[in-house]
Structures are given as C-alpha cells and as structure tokens.
C-alpha cells in the first residue's frame, strides 16, 4: 500500500510528500502516523505542557507494519530523502550476507541512531519491540525528549550482551549516564565502536558503519557550522547520502523546505517532489574548500589513526597545554592497544621524571624540541607536529625581534613537518593543527603556524633542502 495516512492532518507537507514519493518510486508501502493507536503504547507522560508520548509513535507504527510486511523501514518525520535512487534492498542484501540478521541500525561513536532503522518481520523483532517498551516503562526521575531514543539503545545493547556474553541489563533508561554506561559495557566486553566497524553482525543486529566509504548509513544531520561543533565531517550529511535529518527544535524551517524543492505549478503529483537540492549550501557547508580534502579536528585524526593500528609508535612535539590535552585523548582511545610514546619536552628533565613516565605510560621523554634531534632510524606510525614546546632561543619574549622571529617559527615548522614525513612508516599519519590546540598563543604565532602549513601544501621545502634529492628516479615527499 502507498500513501496511507493515519490521523489525517499532514503538517509541513514537504516532509510528507518527500517520503510518500520516495516510497512510490520504489513500490514500497508507506504509512504516516501522528499518534499511536489507543491501547497500543500507553507511555503518555506529560510535563511542562510537552507530550512525551509523541516520541513513542514509531514503536506502535513499526509494530503494526511488521504484521503486513517482510521488512519495515522507519524514518523520523523531520528527515528528507536526498538520494531518491538509492534502494533499501541494497542495505538488506549486504546485511543478509550474515545469517539471521533481523535489525539493521546505523552505528556511531555515541551508539545507535534510532531515527532510521530496518527491521525484519520475525518473532525476535516483536520481542525486541517489547524489550524497547519495557525499558521505556522503567521508573525514572523526570523525562527528556531523548526518552525513546536512549531506551532503543538499551534494548540493542541488552541483546548484544545477553546473546554474546550471557549478561543482561537489569536497569537502563533515558539518562545520559546510562548512555555512557552502555558504551563502557560494550567496550569492556569487546564490542566497542572500533570492533563493531570491523565485525558489524552481532547476534540479530547488523551495525551499519555510517562512515563507510561505499554505501553510507541511512540518515545524517545537516552539515552546517552548528553540527560541525559536535560531529566529525564523515558523520554529517554529504550529497549522495540516502537522507538528511534536521536535529533542531524548529522543524518548520526554510532550510529543509528549500532542500525538498517543491516544483512549480506545471509539475503534477510526485513530479513536484522528486528534485531535492542535494547540495543546498545551508544544508551542506563542509569545512574547507569544496574541491579539497575536509579539515578535521585533532580528535578525528586520532580516531582515524587508531582504526589503522593495533600496535604503534608515536612521537609528539607540542607545547605543554596542548600536549596534556592530546596525551589524555591518545591514552584514552588507545586503551588495550600496544603503544610507545616519544615526547619532545623542550626543557631539562630529571631521571625520576623519565622513569615514572616510562613506568606508568610507556613514554620516553626527550629534552629537545625538535624531531630532527632524535636518533637516525627512529621511525613512527603517528607524528604530531604542534606548537613549539618552548620559544626559539633567539626569540625569548624579552628581546624578541618582531620582524625576524615570526618567519623563523614558520621556517622551523616547515623543517619539522618534513622531518616528520621522513620518519613515517608507510601508511602512517602525520597531524599538524592549523592553529594551536588548547593553546593561548600570540596571534602572530598562530598566523605563522597556518602560513607554514600553506607553504608546505604549496610545495615549499626546508631551507637548504635539495629538490629531488633522492636517488635517481625516486620522488621526495611533497606534503
């Protein structure tokens, strides 16, 4: 069946028509719900004038649809299909290469996105919906608009732990602390985000890697400046993705209406709603040039690095505050992996300081501030070239030459970047922040940091370096 409407009124028509026409294009059934049927899901808690039961419509709607169809795809109303040619069967076919899959969810570092998912009609699926509802009924102090989303995660994690390690969740609900605990439990039992990306089929659930280079996930938030504060670029909308989601509170907004792109009076029926503007600037404004690689925060670079290596050697060259922040993050994300850290401190060190660092964190401390000072043959999987640990000797603040010192920092950074390239193993990662991370450095210092990176990308070489200095026929690093 197509175009079935329950409870008549259709708010913000562009959301409705976009989905109805996508379903019609592929011959899918389509069902629109504004409220659950009486007696189905009675989680009707209201507070401060907010009707929390509206969030449980999806559970009732999916439960009804499973009685009529082999597979059911739920998508939230505040979403629009962008790639109208993409079929749902392709997701199902890939997941079904693993026997016994009944639920396909979009995975992520913050656990599962319940705003869009595929569920097969089976006895297990009805049981899963019952468990989702059971977690929703657990007593809580207060409610939030994340109620049904977090309880969905409770049901998924409970299935993973109960089927794989024989442990069930005795209590789980909507609080943010429970979400943190769920991530911790999955990590502790070997089902963390990295492990799920490598082996996505666990029990009856297929965890779709949203950042997959081939077919990406179901649904992504708009790729604007607001969302870029919270998510990595690969975790936000790109043209070609199946659907785009508006995470803000005001659903009736000009951005999503413009994306849906209703055609003029000459268009009839679904001709009016099948030309979404998939590269709408307000919905897709990635950081950096459109024809260049995306710029990533250091946390995202590190996450990409961790996915590559189970054992690694790292060298870090940056100032104290930046170093503390970076090491804290590295030590956290590399838990369970074998890692050796070489830290360039740029100051004198005591033997006690050296021994404690090695004993507690596998860190070797060096007094130098330059990668070039390390012994020849020391090769790394990860090189971080950040803000210089200490001022250049000739540029102490008291007698700094305002005309000469800034260029000196730029020249030194270029040399450090090339020294880092020379010490990288094949497939390794070199990270250079385009401004000091967690550092209140002078503006001119930040400017020179960015100038050095631009110079390297434009083909600059360290002073005195020979262009093409390798053996005949070999290429030198180009940055």
């Amino acid at each position: 069946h197509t175009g079935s409407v329950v409870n008549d009124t259709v708010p913000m028509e562009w959301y409705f028509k976009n989905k109805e026409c996508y379903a019609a294009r592929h011959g899918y059934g389509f069902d629109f719900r504004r409220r659950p049927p009486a007696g189905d899901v009675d989680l009707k808690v209201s507070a401060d004038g907010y009707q929390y039961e509206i969030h449980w419509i999806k559970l009732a709607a999916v439960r009804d649809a499973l009685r009529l169809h082999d597979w059911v795809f739920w998508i939230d109303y505040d979403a629009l299909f962008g790639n109208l040619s993409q079929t749902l069967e392709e997701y199902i076919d890939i997941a079904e290469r693993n026997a016994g899959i009944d639920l396909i969810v979009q995975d992520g570092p913050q656990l599962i996105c319940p705003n869009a998912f595929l569920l097969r009609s089976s006895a297990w699926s009805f049981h899963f919906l019952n468990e989702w509802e059971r977690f929703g009924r657990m007593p809580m102090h207060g409610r939030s608009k994340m109620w049904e989303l977090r309880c969905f995660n409770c049901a998924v994690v409970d299935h993973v732990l109960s089927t794989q390690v024989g442990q069930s969740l005795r209590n789980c609900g909507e609080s943010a602390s429970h979400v943190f605990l769920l991530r911790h439990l999955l990590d502790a039992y070997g089902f963390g985000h990295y492990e799920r990306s490598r082996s996505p089929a666990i029990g009856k659930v297929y965890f779709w890697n949203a950042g997959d280079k081939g077919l990406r996930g179901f649904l992504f938030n708009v790729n604007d400046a607001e969302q870029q504060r919270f998510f990595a670029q690969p975790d936000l909308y790109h043209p070609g993705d199946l659907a785009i989601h508006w995470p803000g509170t005001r659903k009736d907004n000009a951005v999503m209406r413009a994306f849906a792109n209703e055609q003029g009076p000459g268009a009839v029926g679904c001709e009016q709603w099948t030309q979404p503007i998939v590269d709408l600037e307000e919905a897709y404004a990635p950081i950096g040039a459109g024809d260049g690689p995306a710029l990533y925060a250091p946390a995202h670079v590190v996450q990409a690095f961790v996915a590559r290596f189970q054992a690694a050697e790292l060298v870090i060259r940056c100032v104290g505050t930046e170093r503390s922040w970076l090491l804290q993050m590295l030590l956290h994300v590399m838990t369970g992996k074998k890692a050796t850290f070489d830290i360039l401190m740029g100051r004198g060190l005591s033997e006690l300081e050296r021994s404690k660092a090695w004993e507690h964190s596998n860190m070797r401390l060096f007094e130098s501030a330059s990668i070039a000072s390390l012994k020849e043959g020391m090769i790394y999987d990860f090189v971080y070239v950040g803000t210089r640990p200490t001022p250049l000797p000739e540029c102490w603040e008291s007698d700094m030459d305002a005309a000469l010192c800034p260029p000196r920092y730029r020249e030194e950074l270029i040399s450090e970047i090339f020294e880092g390239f020379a010490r990288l193993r094949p497939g390794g990662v070199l990270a250079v922040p385009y401004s000091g991370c967690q550092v209140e450095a002078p503006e001119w210092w930040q400017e020179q940091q960015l100038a050095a990176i631009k110079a390297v990308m434009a083909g600059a070489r360290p002073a005195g370096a020979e262009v093409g200095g390798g053996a005949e026929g070999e290429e030198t690093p180009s940055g």
Side-chain angles (χ1 to χ4, degrees), residues 54-115:
I54 192 173
H55 294 282
W56 290 96
I57 290 174
K58 66 180 68 174
L59 196 156
V62 170
R63 188 179 273 153
D64 280 355
L66 283 177
R67 299 186 178 104
L68 301 172
H69 303 281
D70 294 332
W71 281 91
V72 172
F73 179 66
W74 170 270
I75 186 169
D76 279 4
Y77 196 66
D78 56 354
L80 292 168
F81 286 101
N83 187 349
L84 299 181
S85 299
Q86 177 63 57
T87 67
L88 299 175
E89 283 86 352
E90 188 170 354
Y91 292 96
I92 295 171
D93 290 346
I94 292 173
E96 283 189 330
R97 294 171 187 170
N98 303 271
I101 294 297
D102 283 346
L103 173 63
I104 306 174
V105 296
Q106 181 169 313
D107 201 6
Q110 302 299 319
L111 289 184
I112 298 99
C113 167
N115 304 100

Side-chain angles (χ1 to χ4, degrees), residues 127-204:
H127 170 73
F128 172 79
L129 295 178
N130 292 339
E131 289 297 289
W132 181 10
E133 184 176 346
R134 178 176 70 86
F135 284 116
R137 294 183 183 282
M138 288 186 172
M140 293 292 296
H141 296 291
R143 292 294 178 196
S144 79
K145 296 176 184 179
M146 303 293 287
W147 184 8
E148 103 288 357
L149 305 182
R150 290 170 176 169
C151 291
F152 182 93
N153 276 270
C154 293
V156 171
V157 174
D158 182 69
H159 168 71
V160 170
L161 296 181
S162 62
T163 58
Q164 305 302 308
V165 298
Q167 299 286 340
S168 295
L169 299 177
R170 292 191 296 272
N171 186 35
C172 188
E174 60 164 314
S175 69
S177 60
H178 280 176
V179 175
F180 175 81
L181 179 60
L182 293 178
R183 294 202 303 267
H184 173 74
L185 286 171
L186 289 175
D187 288 337
Y189 284 105
F191 300 106
H193 183 238
Y194 171 76
E195 288 76 18
R196 297 194 302 272
S197 68
R198 301 294 296 271
S199 301
I202 306 176
K204 293 286 187 180

Side-chain angles (χ1 to χ4, degrees), residues 1-6 23-24 27-33 64-65 68-69:
H1 64 292
T2 59
S4 172
V5 181
V6 178
Y28 300 148
F30 173 65
D31 196 354
F32 166 73
R33 296 292 181 93
D64 280 355
L68 301 172
H69 303 281

Side-chain angles (χ1 to χ4, degrees), residues 23 53 55 76 118 123 158 165 168 183 252 254 261 278 280 284 356 360 372 376-377 390-391 427 451:
E53 68 268 19
H55 294 282
D76 279 4
L118 274 162
D158 182 69
V165 298
S168 295
R183 294 202 303 267
D252 183 2
N261 193 29
V278 297
L280 182 71
Y284 177 62
K356 288 292 185 183
H360 292 293
E376 188 176 348
T390 55

Side-chain angles (χ1 to χ4, degrees), residues 373-423:
S373 68
L374 298 172
K375 290 181 180 178
E376 188 176 348
M378 294 177 74
I379 305 298
Y380 299 94
D381 303 291
F382 181 77
V383 177
Y384 185 91
V385 183
T387 309
R388 198 178 198 281
T390 55
L392 286 166
E394 64 270 34
C395 295
W396 291 101
E397 187 174 353
S398 59
D399 56 356
M400 184 184 78
D401 187 318
L404 296 177
C405 282
R408 282 286 294 111
Y409 278 98
R410 181 177 68 247
E411 292 164 7
E412 192 215 27
L413 185 58
I414 292 173
S415 295
E416 289 297 292
I417 291 172
F418 272 86
E419 187 65 32
F421 275 130
R423 292 177 180 270

